[in-house]
Amino acid sequence: MEIHLLALLMIKHAFADLYLQSFHSNINKIKYISNAHRHYAEHGILTFLILIWFLPPQYAFLIGVLDYVAHWHIDHLKSRLVQHFEIDRESAMFWTIQAGDQALHYLTYFVIVISYQLFVA
């Protein structure tokens, strides 16, 4: 069951990070509180909608909030690093930071699956 959950969360991530985010123009992830929260909320809501099939609603909600907060802080940190060090979006360093960003998101889903195992044990 955990492998199905992980697969759904990874598909959700691609859907929200690539497809849904394409509808948000002028997102400001550098500011801690900004219009980027609608993007972070999409991640949390979609995670909740997936987990509702696996867990009681209160646990699904809690983990959805965890995903929202994690996505917020990972994206904010990446954006601040790129801005602070004036990293060109065409450079190898940008793509290295981007890879780290994605790895942290996938690690979040690993933590979610571990949390799922604790809730159902």
Side-chain angles (χ1 to χ4, degrees), residues 19-34:
Y19 178 69
L20 290 180
Q21 192 169 198
S22 73
F23 294 103
H24 304 308
S25 59
N26 300 321
I27 279 188
N28 185 349
K29 294 180 182 178
I30 294 168
K31 287 180 63 178
Y32 192 68
I33 304 294
S34 72

Side-chain angles (χ1 to χ4, degrees), residues 43-109:
H43 278 279
I45 291 166
L46 290 171
T47 294
F48 167 75
L49 291 174
I50 290 168
L51 287 169
I52 201 75
W53 295 96
F54 294 86
L55 291 171
Q58 66 273 21
Y59 297 139
F61 177 78
L62 182 65
I63 295 175
V65 170
L66 168 76
D67 191 28
Y68 162 78
V69 170
H71 206 91
W72 168 12
H73 288 89
I74 292 166
D75 279 16
H76 176 69
L77 174 63
K78 175 191 71 179
S79 298
R80 292 296 303 261
L81 284 171
V82 169
Q83 178 198 41
H84 180 75
F85 293 107
E86 299 177 352
I87 296 170
D88 179 6
R89 294 178 70 84
E90 302 296 324
S91 71
M93 180 55 70
F94 173 79
W95 291 105
T96 301
I97 291 171
Q98 187 71 5
D101 165 88
Q102 291 301 298
L104 288 172
H105 289 308
Y106 299 144
L107 186 58
T108 301
Y109 303 131

